[in-house]
Amino acid sequence: METNKALCRELEEAIRRSNTVIFRRSQALLAEMGLSNPQFNTLLALYEMGPLTMGELGKHLFAACSTATDLADRLEGEGMVERIRDSRDRRIVRMHLLPRGRKVVELVINDRYSFLEEVLKE
């Protein structure tokens, strides 16, 4: 029983440290691209979940709709997302990921994979 607790502590510490290292590495890459972490999280949400309304995005990011709208404005200006009105209900507007935004997400994710592969080789 005590061995399990020790192993759990070691595992938790390893996960926490690796998360910190990966986060810092990702932050540096995002800074090179001129993107903030919330902007990347927006792209990642669209990448993983598909088109979202501002309300859905705000809930996912734990942010106000106005914050989601600000993120959409910036990313739309950068050509990474676009807003499209719902064909069945024109009041609904969904944010869609464009190829440029998809490329950014895949670049960051692939960088994380490469980094982890290098760490695991050692």
Side-chain angles (χ1 to χ4, degrees):
M1 194 69 126
E2 198 57 38
T3 304
N4 284 342
K5 281 188 175 185
L7 182 60
C8 287
R9 275 194 285 270
E10 287 179 37
L11 181 58
E12 187 279 332
E13 183 178 341
I15 290 170
R16 191 170 15 92
R17 286 184 181 192
S18 64
N19 189 41
T20 300
V21 170
I22 291 168
F23 179 78
R24 287 183 182 153
R25 184 178 174 97
S26 294
Q27 288 301 105
L29 185 56
L30 292 175
E32 287 176 24
M33 294 182 204
L35 289 174
S36 68
N37 202 48
Q39 290 168 333
F40 177 73
N41 288 339
T42 299
L43 295 174
L44 186 59
L46 296 171
Y47 183 85
E48 292 177 339
M49 295 188 282
L52 298 171
T53 65
M54 294 304 128
E56 292 166 341
L57 180 62
K59 285 179 186 175
H60 181 75
L61 298 175
F62 302 102
C65 284
S66 60
T67 301
T69 299
D70 290 343
L71 289 166
D73 289 344
R74 170 82 195 279
L75 293 170
E76 194 170 35
E78 296 290 329
M80 295 186 195
V81 302
E82 70 177 336
R83 292 178 178 109
I84 299 177
R85 290 204 177 276
D86 188 281
S87 60
R88 287 174 277 169
D89 186 343
R90 303 281 298 154
R91 296 171 295 176
I92 298 173
V93 178
R94 297 188 190 284
M95 191 166 27
H96 293 252
L97 189 63
L98 292 174
R100 185 169 180 206
R102 179 173 298 282
K103 184 176 178 181
V104 166
V105 171
E106 290 172 351
L107 181 73
V108 172
I109 289 172
N110 287 331
D111 181 73
R112 289 176 182 176
Y113 289 163
S114 296
F115 175 72
L116 287 172
E117 284 174 356
E118 287 301 313
V119 169
L120 293 173
K121 282 182 187 176
E122 297 175 7

